[in-house]
Structures are given as C-alpha cells and as structure tokens.
Amino acid sequence: EMAKCPYCAQWKTAFENMVMKASGLKAIIDLTEFWVARTSGSDFICLHGPGECVGDLYLVCADNFTRNSATPWAWWDMSVCMQANNNYPNIPGNIQSCASKTGLDYSALTKCANGALGRKLFSDSINYCNKMNVHETPTTIINGVKYVGGSFNSLKTICDAYTGPKPSGCSNADQVAPFKFYPVNDDDTNTVSILNSLLLGNN
C-alpha cells in the first residue's frame, strides 16, 4: 500500500464496495495492510513525497491501535476515508477529519506517528514487503497467491479460497463486475506505473 498512490485508491474503493460491504465477508477474512517505501539512514522515502510518508505513518498506527480493539475495522475505515473515492490527494490534510469520522483518537495517533512506535511499525512494514518481494502496488496476496495489480474479482477469489461455510455475501460472487484500473496522470511521480501491498488470509 502507498497512501497517495492513485491506483491503490482505485483498488481500495473497489475492494470496499466489492468485499467489505458484502454480507459476512469481514467475518471470514484476516486482512493486513503493508506499506511500500524505502529507508535512507533514519529517513523514510515515499514515492509520492513526504506527505505520503505522513499518511503511511498514521495508518500503520491506526492499524496497531484498533486491530485487537472493540472496533477492529476502524483502521480500514480511516484508510478508506483518506484514500478512496479520489480522496488520496488530500493526504495529509484529511487525516484529522478522517480520524474523527471513524472514532479514532487523533492526538494518540499523532503521538504514535511522530514517535518511536510509528517509526518501528512503518519500518517493520517496509521490511516485510521487501521480504515478500512486493514492490509494485496494489499487490494482494490471498492465501499465498500473489496478484500484482490486485485480483480482478477479489470477492470471488476470497469466497473460492475460503473452506468454511460461505457467507451470504459470496452467493453472487460470480456476477460481480471485474475490477479495472483507469489511467491517471500521477503528477507526483510523472509516471503511470502501479506501485501497494495488501495481504489477505482466511480464518
């Protein structure tokens, strides 16, 4: 994942509408987002500039705060607010409002993002992507199968991979229109290349 990647934003919008809103799907997936960037000494270098690094730091902190909480999907909701539906150019300016909208403590997130914990979480995420040889975004790994650019029908891919009783949201998976990217003039990089990482597993 990369906070200000336009293709990541397109993928996230599609995944939110296709998978996360499908009845019962949240109950059968273990979804983790990892962040693609580079380090140089003590500095982070992000493809779409320093503002992207700020967004990445806040989102790794949101994930850390909420994953084992009473609101385990709040990190995802915050990321959707910040990135999806063409909101990604507003990062980092939309972080506080998205934290508030999703019920997260902006002050606590800021302390994390600006501190040692945020740096460690971001570094660990970058290292994991390097270990998995994920350098293009969006990339999804579903039950060990890598889809560079994302699965064209993530709902069907997940439903087919899940070995337990299928939730009702899987019933029409075959009929979902496939996801397609649309071209974007990526002003931050002067390129249209795709560069994100999101990993999925079933319970």
Side-chain angles (χ1 to χ4, degrees):
E1 173 67 281
M2 297 164 66
K4 289 177 72 72
C5 166
Y7 297 100
C8 302
Q10 289 181 39
W11 185 90
K12 183 159 284 183
T13 301
F15 193 85
E16 166 72 1
N17 293 328
M18 184 186 298
V19 176
M20 302 301 275
K21 291 183 179 179
S23 179
L25 264 291
K26 286 183 178 179
I28 69 167
I29 61 174
D30 178 12
L31 173 62
T32 304
E33 226 167 19
F34 295 92
W35 303 87
V36 174
R38 294 187 294 116
T39 56
S40 178
S42 60
D43 295 328
F44 295 115
I45 301 173
C46 296
L47 182 65
H48 300 90
E52 178 166 79
C53 288
V54 173
D56 292 351
L57 281 160
Y58 271 87
L59 288 172
V60 294
C61 288
D63 179 289
N64 180 258
F65 287 176
T66 64
R67 182 167 292 277
N68 296 312
S69 73
T71 54
W73 291 108
W75 67 271
W76 172 264
D77 294 336
M78 180 172 169
S79 72
V80 169
C81 176
M82 288 170 56
Q83 297 173 272
N85 303 307
N86 293 316
N87 288 328
Y88 68 92
N90 300 320
I91 297 171
N94 62 6
I95 293 174
Q96 184 170 4
S97 62
C98 286
S100 177
K101 181 178 179 180
T102 53
L104 296 176
D105 185 336
Y106 176 72
S107 295
L109 290 174
T110 299
K111 183 178 179 180
C112 172
N114 292 337
L117 176 59
R119 295 188 64 83
K120 181 182 186 307
L121 294 170
F122 195 17
S123 294
D124 289 348
S125 187
I126 293 168
N127 290 337
Y128 189 82
C129 286
N130 290 336
K131 176 183 175 182
M132 297 296 291
N133 198 31
V134 172
H135 305 291
E136 297 176 306
T137 61
T139 293
T140 62
I141 301 175
I142 302 176
N143 277 13
V145 180
K146 184 183 290 186
Y147 301 86
V148 178
S151 170
F152 291 118
N153 185 339
S154 294
L155 179 62
K156 184 179 186 317
T157 303
I158 292 167
C159 290
D160 287 349
Y162 186 64
T163 58
K166 309 291 186 188
S168 60
C170 288
S171 60
N172 296 317
D174 289 334
Q175 301 172 27
V176 173
F179 166 62
K180 295 180 181 180
F181 289 107
Y182 57 86
V184 173
N185 179 15
D186 193 347
D187 293 331
D188 290 324
T189 61
N190 295 316
T191 181
V192 188
S193 64
I194 303 171
L195 235 84
N196 180 343
S197 168
L198 196 147
L199 291 106
L200 291 165
N202 69 334
N203 295 333

